[in-house]
Amino acid sequence: SGFFQKKEIGAVKSAAISERTPEVEISRAPGINCPECTTRLVVSIQHLISLEPVVCPSCGLELQIDAQKSQGALESLRKLQSGLNQAAKVRQESQL
């Protein structure tokens, strides 16, 4: 069952909308599974914030980020990347 349901006009019961819900998978390899062929697509934070399309090497499907709808998530990724860069710099300086 999904989060959204539609109600039939004149009916008492609601029917679940038959919409595919993306699967969430925890993995050490950053990326997503191709929605077409399920090939693992390695996608870095830098790749996402650059708004470059992600192309599946197996089936050729091109995925494009909707910058307007993803504005909040992209800003969060930029902040995360900045923090990771600062942490790497501190780590490198402490090893000198």
Side-chain angles (χ1 to χ4, degrees), residues 46-88:
Q46 188 58 40
H47 191 105
L48 291 172
I49 61 180
S50 69
L51 299 176
E52 294 175 30
V54 177
V55 180
C56 177
S58 295
C59 71
L61 180 69
E62 184 175 292
L63 302 170
Q64 182 69 43
I65 295 172
D66 184 328
Q68 187 176 9
K69 288 182 181 178
S70 303
Q71 188 175 6
L74 290 169
E75 184 57 35
S76 294
L77 286 172
R78 285 185 191 99
K79 288 178 182 178
L80 175 61
Q81 185 64 56
S82 176
L84 291 171
N85 292 343
Q86 288 175 355

